[in-house]
Amino acid sequence: MIIRVLLLLALAAIGWFIFLRRNKLPFHIVTMFGLLGAGAVAVVVPHETDRIAQWVGVERGADLIIYLSIVAVLFVLVHYFAKFVEIEQKLTQLTRELAILRAEVERVVPPATKVSPSPPASPPASPRPATDDVSELPQ
Amino acid sequence: MHPDRHDTWVVIAAYNEGAVIRDVVLGVAREGWSVVVVDDGSRDDTADCARSAGVTVVRHAVNLGQGAALQTGIDFALRRGARHIVTFDADGQMAVEDIPVLIAALDAGADIALGSRFLGTVEGATRERMALLKTAVMMSNRMSGLELTDAHCGLRAFHAHVAPKVRMVQNRMAHASELLRKIKQSRLRVVEVPCTIRYTAHSMAKGQGGFQAVRILFDYFFRAAS
């Protein structure tokens, strides 16, 4: 059946991605491939899942898989929402620190208001030594 | 002119307010208050316009929202040794004359003073907007447990030592409700002061509509419950 081929290909693709990023904990890898293997079994012999389903009180294996998937998706959603809020707060903190720091620097070195296309006729003498020029530093 | 005013910092959060920010800032600075403008990652010349008025500009590299911008301004003011902090809108709908009234309320013993449109005057608002605002006041009082005549008028003043108690973590508009909740939690002495709000075509265009209320409620209940 076409659907079995498609599902097995999808599982194999996910497996391939996990394999490419395999610099994680061995436990992580084993768990992920275990889940993928279980998925493959459920695709090849779907009626075998009925027994597990009936054992926990669900009639069909396919129904059990859908219920579990919904719970898993909700869990992932909540997890990533929490992560998102956390990252947003870190972004706020960073932006705030940077903004205040830049304002403090601008007290000492006022920002250039306009960028003039041509340099002024007589540039003001720089109090800094020439070595401060970045272009003259060894790369 | 007013030597006692320099340690009162007026925090103005601005986002794409290049058209009006200079006049607003000049109006406040002329009265002797210290001003910090927080440019919340504007795409126009808000920062340059504010700088041209001769005040400090703190600029967010990315747009975060009004709550985050106000908190940045408050942090900056505290670093500069502010004694009182005032939050003021950038769109020109508030009156500078209301600031000394807020400060007087603080001097009289309040921890935090809030401007109230409904104790004062509202100019240029449509009937629909007034109805929307009244509904917001009712809902806001229900949520915060406070009994106020106005909900989220952006004009506020508080002592520096109160600032840590009303620290806002809501980046966008839900910070206003968050602030009221924290006032209640910390049992701060809150005083309402009549203020004048002049709605202009400019400020109305940038104001909060009923639709945004859904977003604010979502933020308030599901984000950053600290």
Side-chain angles (χ1 to χ4, degrees), chain B:
Chain B
M1 192 166 64
H2 298 286
D4 55 322
R5 288 185 171 183
H6 70 275
D7 56 0
T8 293
W9 279 79
V10 178
V11 175
I12 303 179
Y15 179 58
N16 294 341
E17 297 283 7
V20 292
I21 188 73
R22 193 181 140 88
D23 287 341
V24 173
V25 168
L26 281 175
V28 179
R30 208 177 284 136
E31 293 294 310
W33 313 107
S34 295
V35 180
V36 55
V37 172
V38 183
D39 173 14
D40 192 18
S42 298
R43 280 162 292 148
D44 68 355
D45 55 351
T46 298
D48 284 336
C49 292
R51 265 193 209 104
S52 74
V55 300
T56 311
V57 174
V58 179
R59 186 167 200 282
H60 282 171
V62 292
N63 176 248
L64 292 178
Q66 195 191 31
L70 285 174
Q71 190 58 52
T72 298
I74 293 166
D75 285 2
F76 183 82
L78 291 173
R79 280 175 62 98
R80 290 288 175 89
R83 203 158 59 90
H84 303 309
I85 289 158
V86 177
T87 64
F88 199 82
D89 276 5
D91 54 12
Q93 62 180 21
M94 290 177 176
V96 186
E97 302 80 53
D98 291 333
I99 298 178
V101 188
L102 290 167
I103 302 300
L106 294 184
D107 289 338
D111 288 319
I112 183 163
L114 305 175
S116 169
R117 294 167 270 215
F118 294 109
L119 290 179
T121 44
V122 183
E123 294 169 18
T126 59
R127 256 212 204 135
E128 292 76 38
R129 190 167 185 89
M130 291 302 274
L132 184 69
L133 286 169
K134 285 261 165 67
T135 316
V137 173
M138 272 168 49
M139 277 186 59
S140 162
N141 282 344
R142 270 283 176 80
M143 275 164 61
S144 67
L146 295 169
E147 281 181 29
L148 301 174
T149 59
D150 200 350
H152 303 150
C153 176
L155 186 65
R156 319 171 181 94
F158 48 89
H159 293 282
H161 66 81
V162 172
K165 293 181 183 156
V166 292
R167 211 184 149 74
M168 298 175 285
V169 296
Q170 290 281 357
N171 276 2
R172 284 170 294 277
M173 299 312 288
H175 72 277
S177 308
E178 186 192 4
L179 181 87
L180 296 183
R181 194 186 72 224
K182 290 185 171 169
I183 290 174
K184 177 77 177 176
Q185 278 171 352
S186 302
R187 298 167 188 274
L188 298 177
R189 280 160 298 176
V190 55
V191 169
E192 281 193 296
V193 170
C195 74
T196 305
I197 299 291
R198 281 185 213 96
Y199 287 112
T200 59
H202 173 79
S203 70
M204 287 291 277
K206 295 203 67 168
Q208 300 289 309
F211 183 69
Q212 278 108 318
V214 180
R215 174 78 188 274
I216 296 170
L217 284 175
F218 178 84
D219 276 359
Y220 183 81
F221 285 111
F222 291 109
R223 223 174 263 273
S226 61

Side-chain angles (χ1 to χ4, degrees), chain A residues 57-131:
Chain A
V58 180
E59 203 167 320
R60 298 191 316 147
D63 290 343
L64 178 67
I65 290 172
I66 287 177
Y67 300 156
L68 290 180
S69 310
I70 290 172
V71 172
V73 165
L74 285 178
F75 175 78
V76 170
L77 211 65
V78 169
H79 173 78
Y80 279 100
F81 183 69
K83 264 275 193 286
F84 176 78
V85 170
E86 192 187 312
I87 290 176
E88 197 180 36
Q89 281 180 352
K90 286 179 178 171
L91 173 72
T92 303
Q93 237 173 336
L94 272 177
T95 306
R96 181 168 292 147
E97 295 265 334
L98 181 65
I100 292 176
L101 182 69
R102 193 157 55 180
E104 296 289 354
V105 169
E106 283 172 357
R107 279 175 90 184
V108 185
V109 187
T113 41
K114 286 282 179 285
V115 181
S116 52
S118 57
S122 57
S126 169
R128 294 176 303 175
T131 47

